[in-house]
Amino acid sequence: MTDTNPTTGSAASPSLENLLHETRSFPPSEEFAAQANAQADLYEKASADRLEFWAAQARELVTWKTPFTETLDWSGAPVARWFADGTLNAAYNAVDRHVEAGNGDRVAIHFEGEPGDTRTVTYADLQREVSRAANALTALGVQTGDRVVIYLPMLVESVVAMLACARIGAAHSVVFGGFSADALRSRIADAEATLVITADGGYRRGAPSALKPAVDEALAPKEGADPTTVRNVLVVRRTEQDVDWVEGRDVWWHEALAAASDQHEPVAVEAEHPLFILYTSGTTGKPKGILHTTGGYLTQAAYTHKNVFDLKPETDVYWCTADVGWVTGHSYVVYGPLVNGATQVLYEGTPDTPHRGRWWELIEKYKVSILYTAPTAIRTCMKWGDDIPGGFDLSSLRVLGSVGEPINPEAWMWYRRVIGGDKAPIVDTWWQTETGAIMISPLPGVTATKPGSAQVALPGIAATVVDDEAQPVPDGGGGYLVLSEPWPSMLRGIWGDLERYKETYWSRFDGLYFAGDGAKKDEDGDIWLLGRVDDVMNVSGHRLSTTEIESALVSHEIVAEAAVVGAADDTTGQAVVAFVILRGSHAGRASTPEGAAEVQKELRDHVGKEIGPIAKPKKILVVPELPKTRSGKIMRRLLRDVAEDRAVGDATTLADSSVMDLITAGLAAPS
Ligand code: WTA
């Protein structure tokens, strides 16, 4: 734990005091409420018999090969087993059953490449392509229970690759394309993957950006590392840029699929069979492989997607802007929408290519009715000005979603007014990679929404706020967010490390899942999330570990010590700011502005190489000392004060109380 006070939250979060002044509330319109999938009685149904409620959802929203008879087995807590004696296939649920129901002609994906190329994929197309891919994987020796790493841009093939794994019962582990070769190597090794699916590259900011070289580097022999477990690399051709080729290992995706049959029988797996592993930053340097299984995960992904976004599969056009490299892309680009038979937009590129109205142009073009995005994107668009979205017809939008970090009331109001035409309900959805699906959110036809609050646990979910002694706080109080009952899409552990799973989530409060977020309850009992209370930063909605970036920095030969903090940032929520002490012989290098700039660049690039461009510190400050307590713990709170240009707070518990003066004096006047 760090010294962050849960009642004021992390630096990026709205402070308690600000939130107490937030009294605006927006009830759904009568028309919206009348037609909504989720009505108020959903809460009553769920609380009358929680397990029976989930069993009913699982039966209604998911098709089982063998029906389950047991809902929850919690005897192995904290590892849950949901619907454990049932069998099913995730790809069958996401694709085939819609074709069998006569909806094969329905568009599953409107793909839009960054350069403007488009592709329309129906459910019948998807069935053929996923079947081909499943046969191609099998031909390459991938078996049920194996792990496949996917390192792709946002393409139709990314969705197909994930579903092909699911179809044969192999777990996928998608690694975001913004991670480096080193990060990719450690994830491949941890998952012991036998196949990597990648592309020559993808389009970003108007230019092709290579991906394959990172895979080649990640698989190359490295001193001190075990030989790779990967036998083959399947390469999607997207940009047609030159690629190095390893004969016997590398296979073109299009050739493998062309050679494969488009008929494939999905493999029915047990409900608790692993569906995917997704790595996420924790409080230590080593990323955690969050494990999700099949039956419970699909149930909650489908349930939340239907009720939180009010999806009407026949008429809605849905768009979630998340990359499939993150959990939001797993649950709300791939599994939730497809299991529900939705029509969705998939966009490859950045929001400002070739112009800053690209997103709004896509919404107008495809008549998008449900948009799900992140506060950082909303704040960026807000900065670009109202006239940009104002130039497009956004009247098709009827539900707006937000995820990834607390949304400040100002951005919320802008989203509602400028994008939602002052009528579309906003659902601020709180959840995590670990929870698998949305946990806390308004229901758009029921809840009177409040700007900045995720408000209420969904029907079937038990969330509360507790104090240091695990006692629920009264309305108006602040503390830690916990989940007090198991839920279907909960993680089933950390891949290969059960102890770490118990220690991270279940050791803080007896019998309660500790989410790592500070929260408060307002006078109505609604929940407001206040940001992380541990050493995890949230930059543009992406989780980054301070420890991981510190380890990357000290692995550079000129760095003796490093401390990283997340400082409040208007656009990205938090920004990475690093404080470094240089090694003796290099200590003088930062004494001139040019020297300091050079050191900054060298270290930023180094972090980019070790972890990925997303982890590069925005600022690196060279300091003579770091503030530490007598037990040697770095006091990040004080560094955050410096990073945010505030007066430095109480430093009396420092081992050497003059350190902060040294730091601030040095920064104010570089010698
Ligand atoms: C934060 C993303 C406030 C939170 C789905 C959580 C949020 C972490 C919200 C998980 C929200 C996510 N309001 N904070 N609506 N949504 N968070 O694993 O700190 O990438 O613990 O999952 O993001 O990030 P992750």
Side-chain angles (χ1 to χ4, degrees):
M1 292 300 303
T2 54
D3 45 11
T4 305
N5 178 344
T7 55
T8 53
S10 75
S13 314
S15 74
L16 250 189
E17 231 149 280
N18 284 340
L19 294 179
L20 286 175
H21 296 305
E22 185 53 69
T23 53
R24 290 169 288 198
S25 151
F26 300 89
S29 70
E30 269 171 39
E31 302 102 271
F32 192 103
Q35 60 81 60
N37 290 343
Q39 299 290 329
D41 65 347
L42 208 60
Y43 294 105
E44 284 138 43
K45 279 189 198 147
S47 56
D49 187 338
R50 208 179 74 89
L51 293 184
E52 192 35 54
F53 174 80
W54 281 119
Q57 300 302 326
R59 288 188 196 105
E60 184 194 321
L61 300 171
V62 173
T63 303
W64 298 81
K65 176 88 175 184
T66 322
F68 59 90
T69 60
E70 186 187 43
T71 302
L72 170 67
D73 173 5
W74 191 229
S75 61
V79 181
R81 291 168 59 78
W82 282 87
F83 319 122
D85 61 347
T87 69
L88 75 168
N89 182 276
Y92 173 82
N93 272 278
V95 183
D96 302 60
R97 63 176 186 149
H98 305 309
V99 180
E100 287 170 12
N103 293 320
D105 291 340
R106 184 184 295 165
V107 174
I109 299 173
H110 288 293
F111 172 76
E112 178 100 5
E114 200 188 72
D117 57 316
T118 61
R119 185 174 163 196
T120 307
V121 183
T122 65
Y123 275 94
D125 296 334
L126 202 54
Q127 184 183 36
R128 284 187 290 270
E129 190 142 333
V130 173
S131 296
R132 282 187 195 281
N135 283 319
L137 296 191
T138 307
L140 289 170
V142 182
Q143 295 181 349
T144 306
D146 287 353
R147 272 85 51 208
V148 173
V149 162
I150 297 176
Y151 187 66
L152 281 171
M154 282 295 280
L155 301 173
V156 172
E157 286 82 354
S158 319
V159 178
V160 172
M162 290 164 75
L163 293 174
C165 291
R167 202 171 177 94
I168 62 173
H172 53 73
S173 183
V174 184
V175 177
F176 176 59
F179 280 115
S180 68
D182 283 346
L184 183 59
R185 176 194 291 273
S186 65
R187 285 158 175 76
I188 291 170
D190 189 74
E192 296 177 282
T194 53
L195 176 76
V196 176
I197 307 178
T198 189
D200 47 2
Y203 290 96
R204 281 203 82 71
R205 298 185 204 288
S209 156
L211 271 179
K212 175 110 185 337
V215 176
D216 294 334
E217 194 186 329
L219 298 181
K222 186 178 172 183
E223 223 185 280
D226 290 336
T228 185
T229 45
V230 170
R231 293 190 303 259
N232 292 103
V233 179
L234 206 45
V235 188
V236 173
R237 195 165 64 190
R238 168 67 181 146
T239 56
E240 309 203 359
Q241 59 203 123
D242 286 342
V243 288
D244 289 342
W245 204 254
V246 177
E247 282 308 327
R249 185 196 73 181
D250 298 352
V251 179
W252 283 113
W253 168 273
H254 61 273
E255 288 177 2
L257 263 67
S261 157
D262 64 3
Q263 302 290 311
H264 180 271
E265 187 60 34
V267 176
V269 297
E270 290 179 357
E272 286 300 335
H273 187 76
L275 180 61
F276 65 87
I277 301 165
L278 187 59
Y279 287 85
T280 187
S281 295
T283 50
T284 68
K286 191 172 181 276
K288 304 177 282 201
I290 304 299
L291 173 66
H292 283 287
T293 58
T294 309
Y297 171 81
L298 285 191
T299 299
Q300 199 175 326
Y303 160 79
T304 50
H305 186 258
K306 170 186 165 191
N307 291 302
V308 173
F309 300 115
D310 192 44
L311 178 85
K312 308 286 195 286
E314 298 80 16
T315 48
D316 275 315
V317 179
Y318 165 85
W319 183 21
C320 167
T321 64
D323 191 285
V324 289
W326 307 107
V327 74
T328 308
H330 282 62
S331 305
Y332 299 107
V333 174
V334 181
Y335 292 107
L338 295 178
V339 167
N340 286 340
T343 294
Q344 69 177 316
V345 172
L346 191 78
Y347 172 55
E348 177 187 28
T350 46
D352 52 352
T353 307
H355 58 81
R356 289 178 166 181
R358 186 73 188 269
W359 275 15
W360 319 120
E361 187 178 65
L362 290 177
I363 289 171
E364 180 180 283
K365 174 174 171 185
Y366 293 106
K367 300 201 168 33
V368 172
S369 53
I370 305 169
L371 175 68
Y372 191 28
T373 192
T376 184
I378 298 165
R379 287 191 298 264
T380 302
C381 294
M382 201 171 141
K383 241 179 19 198
W384 291 342
D386 296 15
D387 52 323
I388 295 177
F392 297 90
D393 178 6
L394 306 181
S395 60
S396 54
L397 287 171
R398 61 178 203 93
V399 180
L400 301 176
S402 172
V403 64
E405 54 179 310
I407 177 164
N408 44 312
E410 199 194 349
W412 194 101
M413 289 303 297
W414 185 87
Y415 196 26
R416 178 177 164 92
R417 180 174 58 82
V418 179
I419 307 304
D422 253 332
K423 61 173 209 307
I426 295 182
V427 285
D428 174 4
T429 62
W430 179 90
W431 59 295
Q432 311 177 293
T433 305
E434 292 87 341
T435 69
I438 299 170
M439 303 292 283
I440 304 177
S441 166
L443 287 176
V446 178
T447 317
T449 54
K450 297 177 180 176
S453 173
Q455 293 182 286
V456 264
L458 288 180
I461 299 299
T464 185
V465 181
V466 298
D467 63 18
D468 276 312
E469 272 72 54
Q471 293 309 306
V473 303
D475 289 350
Y480 307 94
L481 181 73
V482 295
L483 303 167
S484 51
E485 297 286 350
W487 62 100
S489 66
M490 71 194 292
L491 73 165
R492 300 303 197 263
I494 294 175
W495 185 251
D497 200 345
L498 186 64
E499 272 318 301
R500 190 174 176 199
Y501 167 61
K502 292 181 178 165
E503 165 67 28
T504 310
Y505 305 103
W506 299 94
S507 67
R508 179 74 199 257
F509 301 114
D510 198 27
L512 300 172
Y513 171 90
F514 173 59
D517 280 4
K520 85 167 277 270
K521 272 185 161 184
D522 68 16
E523 297 301 336
D524 302 326
D526 282 331
I527 297 175
W528 297 70
L529 277 310
L530 302 171
R532 302 288 310 189
V533 293
D534 55 14
D535 293 342
V536 175
M537 295 170 290
N538 192 326
V539 179
S540 297
H542 299 151
R543 274 164 70 169
L544 293 172
S545 144
T546 53
T547 326
E548 205 181 344
I549 300 178
E550 285 164 5
S551 327
L553 284 166
V554 294
S555 75
H556 193 287
E557 56 182 15
I558 68 170
V559 177
E561 263 193 272
V564 166
V565 297
D569 184 280
D570 280 350
T571 307
T572 58
Q574 283 184 301
V576 180
V577 177
F579 294 81
V580 297
I581 305 177
L582 297 184
R583 279 185 192 280
S585 56
H586 301 276
R589 277 189 58 190
S591 58
T592 61
E594 300 78 41
E598 217 180 271
V599 167
Q600 270 230 23
K601 176 165 186 322
E602 215 170 298
L603 295 181
R604 291 185 75 242
D605 289 348
H606 181 70
V607 174
K609 188 183 165 302
E610 291 285 309
I611 306 172
I614 47 165
K616 282 185 181 180
K618 184 172 178 188
K619 255 200 254 175
I620 298 179
L621 305 168
V622 177
V623 293
E625 292 288 347
L626 290 172
K628 291 188 185 152
T629 60
R630 280 173 203 95
S631 60
K633 206 166 139 25
I634 292 172
M635 287 189 77
R636 290 176 216 279
R637 173 171 60 81
L638 300 178
L639 292 175
R640 234 176 348 248
D641 288 341
V642 176
E644 293 172 355
D645 280 335
R646 253 196 317 270
V648 173
D650 184 2
T652 46
T653 54
L654 284 182
D656 173 358
S657 59
S658 64
V659 165
M660 288 317 292
D661 296 335
L662 253 169
I663 292 175
T664 46
L667 294 176
S671 51

